[in-house]
Each structure stands twice: as structure tokens, then as C-alpha cells.
Amino acid sequence: MSIPRFLRSNMLKSIFSPSIFLILATGPGVCHGQTNLIVNPDFEQSGAGETPAGWQGVPDRIPDLFTTVQDELTGGKAGFVQNREAAWNRILQRPRIEAGKIYTFSARFRSVEDNTTIIVSLHDPARQLPVEQGTRTLNVDDGWQTLSFDFVSGDSGRHELRIRNSGTADFYIRDVSLKEAGKEIHAAGLRLIVPEAAPIPGKLDLKAEVLNQFGNSAGLGRETVRWELDQTAPDALNLHRESGRLVIGDDLPSGTEVHVTAVVDLDLSVRETAKIQFLTQSAFRRPRQVILTWQNDPQSTQTVSWRTDLEVENPKVYFTPGDGSVNRTVFSASGVSVKFDRQAPDPPVENTVWINTVELTGLTTGTLYRLRIPHETSPKDVLFKTAPEHPEEIVFTVFSDTHRLRMEASDREYVRGALSRVAEINPEFTLAVGDLWYADMQNHTDTPVDLFVDFFFDQYESAMTAPDGRLIPIVPAEGNHDGRNDGAPFFYSRFHLPAPHKYYVFQYGPDLTIITLNSGHSAGIRGEQTEWLERVLKDHRDSRWIIVQHHVSPYPAHRPLDGGWERQMRQSWVPLYEKYGVDLVINGHDHVYKRSHPIRNNRIDHEKGVIYIGDGLGSTRAPDMDRWFVKDAAAVDSFWKVTVSTDQATGESTLTAVPVFPFNPEHEGSPVYLKKNADGVRVR
């Protein structure tokens, strides 16, 4: 590491006052990779795992290296942060915070690059969510600049002060302090938790919580909330008031509307109003989150599934060739409605959905169909198209890692925006290479799993309609976050796939074979799955193009190469890819854009090598450009457009894979271009 001339090494010192949690940052130091940066009182360097003297009782990892530098311009000391990636991975301190008190964070920063945005966040580690954060954008000529902000936590206990910047620029930090602000908290709002509608029969449970000026719980107690109902509310209302809660009984006729206001009277009156409409049971059989998959031949079948909140006794769909604009013969097909118990956020509240699935068979090859899911008031119409027998051109897309931790408005805009750009490509179908939601974050957030699942399917249904009006079918692979060592029940209850389901093969026309594998999440890599893979590759060796998708990459651009999944795949699967002539391997997981060189025998081979592309949407991470197999990579959101074209006259066929950057269209990537002659031999 190179340190500017006006800075030189010195020893770390700090002052820690337990009464005000004051930390003078006279020596946070260099942080390599993903190690955590913490203020250290008594030493300059320490090996990983050692606990420095005077720093007992601070639980967690110890950095690999600390460095303190002397700022000769001011005569003070500062810490130099080597910021390898933009992530919440640097922890300044773990102070103990009391709920309901206001604290002030302050520190001075100096950047070595222009337009460096410093972000400091106080995290509640119990929920892994930021309580508050402050930002400051710096330029080199600004010198030392102060970042200061107030925050209040709704929970008592040890929190984490984390620091990063918006890019990967290095920066300096000094004079860090965290102390009680001596300011008063006041009520500034109410959070009213209310469903959109209530069923008949059933009970409506409303909750209200007082918020402070920071948007967090004011810690004032829910007993301060009182409830008001409008004068038109029917006398049949069976009300039950608790502290901060209002329960309305179940004797209301369909269509009843009730206006409810939650009020808190403190120094100022804060009011929040909600309008609730009571609906019949049929409203809870309204088809939602419709998706299309395949369990069998895409030339003659189509599987449709949708979610309802109550059982559909005989789920049925109607379908007809064409777009429905002229009178045609209408067919019908029936399926099954399966109860699925979701993770409830507050048991014993019933939290069950029904997954309804119908497979259409005997369809005509290369034909557009209109499908209707019937309902009394809200039927759902969907267009889909069967695969042609000999397609001259096949266009499909690839995305992954749409999971979001917060699911706020900005997250909805992000996922919906990305998927809308995918749909604009007008693909025949899309590959989804895992981590579509969080099913394994129960130790980090109080959000139930089913809300993460609903978030994905709501965005998918709203965004994934092609320009020609078709709902785009999905060909998914399981990711490490889609389950939690439980067989991924959410994943396989919603996606109905070819046997053996955890991994499967999908043939689209005679020239394109897509193999989906499970990279160790609910099926082991070695043994049965590898044996199945070799059988499938043997059976499809005459296919013109063979593409494999699985979530984790054996050649990652960001994560360690020696990880368990990565190493097992290089030992078990990569030799089979090379033996049977796999053309392209598609991955996610790393949250970076990546395109590899052609690889064979663990070296670059432009004649017969396999190309690996990916690696996902999501919060981007910095790739390691020094890895020998990386041809192109960047910390930028991306998905891929893949086109397979076949000249029926000459028999020549091409495969192109072009990266698309939905939020950075000016970024230039490195496309894949492969060509084969009529004999299926790759030519340059």
C-alpha cells in the first residue's frame, strides 16, 4: 500500500468513555478485502484472530492489519481506509445504545478522489437493518470535511457503526465520536398497519405505532394511541380495543366500508386515517401472481400456475388459439389447488395460500394462444405461444439475484425496472439463475419469508409482459437464498418443472438444449446429480447448442475460488462440460457482470474452451480483474440477451450472448459470438 508523503506511520491511541460512548479515531487503519475496521486502542498491527489488550468484550473478528498515519498538516492522527469494494463491511465500533435516546455521530473525512460519497450507518444487528445513515460527498480539494447526523434507535443493545463509500476510492478518517445529543424526542407520525381488504367471515386486526421525528418507534407505548370511527359505521361493528390495536368483528355484510382514524395526542396531534372495505370470500380466490413454466415439451404443452388466498375447488382455465379477437373454439383444462402454509410473522395468525396449477397438453406447435383464468369479478387473461418445430431464431434472456432485503418503494422500482428491460427484449422465455428472494434471513430480519416471495412474483407479473402481449415463461434454477436447507419449498411449490425437478433438462427445438443444475443448495453436487448430468449430456450430444445454468459459478469473478461449491463443481462438472462440448455456462451469485475467456483444462483455450457468463443483478460488487480467466467484468447491474440463429438452407448456426446494462446503458460489455457449421463443428 502506498501512503502519501504528508502521512507517516504512528502508533494507535484512543479514548473510550463508557458514559458517552466517545471514540477518538486516532487510528482506524487499513482494511483489506472484507475484514472489519474497528478502532483499536493499544497496537499498530495484529495477526488475524488475536484480541488486542484493552479491547476485551468487543465480540467479533479482528482485522488482518491496522495502520495509523500522521497528518502533518494538522498535527493529528488519522486512519487510512483502503476501500476495496462498496459494501457494508467496515465496522467502526459496536456501541451499546439505549432505546429512546438521541445520539450524534460525527467524524472528519478526506478523500483521495473526486466525487467520493462517504456513507455512515448505524445498524441494529439483531435485524440487520440500518437505523439511520448520513452521507457526505467529497472532492480532493475539499480537504478535511465533517459528517454529522443524529439518530435514535427503537431497540436497546449493542449496535454497529458501519462505514463505506459509494465506489471503491480510498479515504482518510479522523476525530470519530458518538455521544448522547441531549435533545428531546417528540411524536411526529403514526404507522398504521392495515390490510387492503377484510374477508367475510373474518376479523380485521389494525395496529398503530407512534413514530418519532426519525421515522422510528418513539418508544412512547402503544397505549397512547386512540381510535375513532366515522359516524356512518354500522352498529353491527363488534369492536375490541387494545393498546395500539383495534379488532373489528365478523358480522358485516359484503361491501361495507369503514373509515378508521388512529390518533395520538401529545404536544401536537398526529392523525392517520385508513379506509377498509369488507369483501366476500370470492375476492380471496382472485388469481394473482400468474406464471408460465414447462414440465414437458414446449412445442405442445404449457403449465400455468397462480396464487389465491382461499382454495379453488376445481381450478380450471379456458384457452383458444389466436389472440381472442375472433370467435374460435374454446378449450378447457383442469388442475389442482394445493394448500401451502407460509411462514407467519406473528403466530397463531393463519397465513396460508393456495397454489393452483394447470398443465395444458395437446397444443399446436408454433401457435399463439389466449388463456383465461376465470373469476366472478376479476378474470385473468394471458397470452402465450408454443415453440415452433424448427425455429430459425430463438431469443431468450438471463437474469438472477433479484432478492432485496427491504422491499421498499425504491426496491420495487429497481426490480420492476430491471425486469421491464428484460421484457422489452421480447424473448421466447427467460432463464432465472437463482436468488429470486430471501428465504434464509430469519436471523437478520423480522420480515416473513412469504413477503419476500410475494415481492418477487408481484414484480414479475407486473413487468414480464413482452411487447407482443405474451407473459414470458420462466426457466428457473435454485439459488442459495431461495431455500434455507429445507428443500426450498417456496421455490418448488411455485415453479412446476420437468423431473427430477431439483435439476432438469429443457429442449427448445432440435438445436437448443438447456440443462439446469442445482449448485449444492437442495441437491448435492457430487454423486447422483453428476451421474445424471453425464447421462443427459450423452443423450443430447447431437444437439447443436448445449447451455448449462446453475447459480454458483465454478469460475467466480468476485467470491473466493476455493469455496466449497466452486471447488466441487470444478472437480465434478467442469470436466463433463469439456468432455461433451458444452458451449456456454450461465451463473449468478456474485452480483457482478462477468464474461470469461474460453476455458479448457483450467487454461484459456480459444479453440474448444467453455465460456462462463453472469453473474447477476443486485447490489454490485467489485470483480477481481487479476484472475486469469476473466475477459471482462465490472461492478454494474446486468442481464443477458442470448440469440440462437440457424440457416435452414446451409445448416450453419450462430449463438450470440450480449450483456445488457439496464441502469447504465452507456457501459460497454464483451459479447459472446460462437458459430458452428452444418456438422455441428465450431468454427472461428
Side-chain angles (χ1 to χ4, degrees), residues 179-426:
K179 57 185 178 181
E180 292 184 26
K183 301 177 182 178
E184 292 186 357
I185 298 173
H186 61 267
L190 276 172
R191 180 185 290 118
L192 186 58
I193 304 171
V194 55
E196 295 180 358
I200 298 294
K203 292 184 178 181
L204 179 67
D205 190 347
L206 304 177
K207 299 179 182 179
E209 185 176 23
V210 184
L211 302 179
N212 58 36
Q213 64 264 45
F214 301 98
N216 301 317
S217 173
L220 299 174
R222 289 177 174 172
E223 64 277 0
T224 59
V225 178
R226 59 184 176 85
W227 297 91
E228 296 177 355
L229 280 76
D230 67 351
Q231 298 301 316
T232 61
D235 296 334
L237 279 177
N238 178 18
L239 300 180
H240 176 61
R241 291 181 173 85
E242 298 178 9
S243 59
R245 301 177 69 180
L246 177 69
V247 180
I248 301 177
D250 56 7
D251 297 327
L252 296 175
S254 175
T256 299
E257 287 192 0
V258 180
H259 297 258
V260 179
T261 302
V263 183
V264 57
D265 292 310
L266 298 171
D267 296 336
L268 68 164
S269 179
V270 181
R271 306 171 68 88
E272 194 72 34
T273 302
K275 180 176 73 174
I276 305 101
Q277 185 177 25
F278 288 77
L279 304 177
T280 62
Q281 286 190 5
S282 66
F284 292 84
R285 295 189 178 95
R286 176 175 60 88
R288 297 175 51 199
Q289 301 172 357
V290 181
I291 59 168
L292 300 175
T293 57
W294 286 290
Q295 300 174 83
N296 292 288
D297 187 356
Q299 294 183 5
S300 60
T301 71
Q302 184 73 74
T303 297
V304 57
S305 64
W306 68 96
R307 168 206 158 156
T308 56
D309 294 315
L310 290 176
E311 181 181 9
V312 178
E313 293 183 1
N314 181 30
K316 178 181 290 188
V317 300
Y318 299 93
F319 59 99
T320 183
D323 61 4
S325 59
V326 297
N327 293 326
R328 294 180 181 270
T329 303
V330 177
F331 303 91
S332 65
S334 297
V336 295
S337 185
V338 178
K339 182 180 180 181
F340 185 77
D341 291 313
R342 308 183 297 169
Q343 177 189 349
D346 187 21
V349 176
E350 185 176 356
N351 203 20
T352 298
V353 300
W354 294 80
I355 307 301
N356 310 276
T357 305
V358 178
E359 184 181 22
L360 312 182
T361 59
L363 304 176
T364 303
T365 299
T367 301
L368 181 70
Y369 285 86
R370 177 177 292 276
L371 176 147
R372 169 164 288 189
I373 304 172
H375 185 265
E376 296 174 11
T377 60
S378 304
K380 185 73 174 182
D381 288 351
V382 172
L383 290 179
F384 70 91
K385 188 175 182 180
T386 54
E389 185 175 1
H390 293 285
E392 293 186 359
E393 183 178 82
I394 303 169
V395 177
F396 65 93
T397 49
V398 179
F399 72 87
S400 69
D401 297 278
T402 53
H403 53 352
R404 310 294 284 179
L405 188 59
R406 297 193 195 176
M407 301 182 295
E408 296 176 349
S410 60
D411 299 290
R412 288 193 296 273
E413 293 174 4
Y414 169 87
V415 175
R416 192 175 302 166
L419 294 181
S420 295
R421 289 286 289 113
V422 171
E424 289 173 7
I425 302 296
N426 202 33

Side-chain angles (χ1 to χ4, degrees), residues 20 34 58 99 117 171 200 250 270 339 423 505 518 527 574 596:
I20 59 172
Q34 296 191 37
V58 178
T117 300
F171 58 91
I200 298 294
D250 56 7
V270 181
K339 182 180 180 181
V505 61
N518 191 303
V574 168
S596 79

Side-chain angles (χ1 to χ4, degrees), residues 340-607:
F340 185 77
D341 291 313
R342 308 183 297 169
Q343 177 189 349
D346 187 21
V349 176
E350 185 176 356
N351 203 20
T352 298
V353 300
W354 294 80
I355 307 301
N356 310 276
T357 305
V358 178
E359 184 181 22
L360 312 182
T361 59
L363 304 176
T364 303
T365 299
T367 301
L368 181 70
Y369 285 86
R370 177 177 292 276
L371 176 147
R372 169 164 288 189
I373 304 172
H375 185 265
E376 296 174 11
T377 60
S378 304
K380 185 73 174 182
D381 288 351
V382 172
L383 290 179
F384 70 91
K385 188 175 182 180
T386 54
E389 185 175 1
H390 293 285
E392 293 186 359
E393 183 178 82
I394 303 169
V395 177
F396 65 93
T397 49
V398 179
F399 72 87
S400 69
D401 297 278
T402 53
H403 53 352
R404 310 294 284 179
L405 188 59
R406 297 193 195 176
M407 301 182 295
E408 296 176 349
S410 60
D411 299 290
R412 288 193 296 273
E413 293 174 4
Y414 169 87
V415 175
R416 192 175 302 166
L419 294 181
S420 295
R421 289 286 289 113
V422 171
E424 289 173 7
I425 302 296
N426 202 33
E428 271 78 15
F429 55 89
T430 189
L431 306 189
V433 200
D435 276 8
L436 308 182
W437 54 74
Y438 279 117
D440 60 345
M441 300 299 287
Q442 65 273 23
N443 294 328
H444 304 289
T445 175
D446 54 6
T447 303
V449 174
D450 60 274
L451 296 186
F452 288 120
V453 178
D454 286 345
F455 177 83
F456 170 77
F457 284 108
D458 285 341
Q459 311 319 310
Y460 191 94
E461 184 183 36
S462 66
M464 289 295 279
T465 298
D468 61 7
R470 295 176 301 109
L471 179 63
I472 300 169
I474 186 169
V475 181
E478 182 189 343
N480 59 295
H481 286 302
D482 295 319
R484 49 184 181 185
N485 300 318
D486 56 0
F490 285 88
F491 193 89
Y492 294 105
S493 71
R494 300 304 303 268
F495 296 125
H496 297 270
L497 306 170
H501 311 299
K502 305 285 187 179
Y503 40 91
Y504 57 93
V505 61
F506 168 65
Q507 188 74 30
Y508 196 90
D511 293 331
L512 178 60
T513 300
I514 297 176
I515 300 172
T516 298
L517 297 178
N518 191 303
S519 46
H521 314 304
S522 62
I525 292 174
R526 298 182 176 126
E528 183 177 334
Q529 186 175 187
T530 296
E531 294 169 1
W532 175 91
L533 172 61
E534 184 159 23
R535 290 196 302 270
V536 168
L537 289 172
K538 285 180 180 179
D539 293 343
H540 292 80
R541 65 173 67 203
D542 293 333
S543 183
R544 187 71 60 88
W545 300 103
I546 300 178
I547 296 175
V548 179
Q549 69 161 340
H550 45 82
H551 183 62
V552 177
S553 174
Y555 293 100
H558 169 76
R559 296 178 191 268
L561 273 167
D562 58 354
W565 293 325
E566 293 84 354
R567 185 174 59 256
Q568 288 185 48
M569 285 185 284
R570 288 198 301 274
Q571 293 170 349
S572 299
W573 293 353
V574 168
L576 297 179
Y577 299 161
E578 297 172 358
K579 178 180 179 180
Y580 292 100
V582 169
D583 299 289
L584 188 68
V585 177
I586 303 172
N587 309 118
H589 193 49
D590 262 22
H591 297 220
V592 300
Y593 151 68
K594 181 202 74 180
R595 192 264 209 221
S596 79
H597 292 286
I599 302 170
R600 186 178 180 84
N601 294 325
N602 212 37
R603 61 175 59 91
I604 297 173
D605 183 341
H606 292 286
E607 297 294 332

Side-chain angles (χ1 to χ4, degrees), residues 8-25:
R8 68 172 183 267
S9 296
N10 208 324
M11 296 296 292
L12 287 161
K13 296 184 182 295
S14 72
I15 301 173
F16 182 83
S17 171
S19 61
I20 59 172
F21 302 109
L22 176 64
I23 312 160
L24 293 183

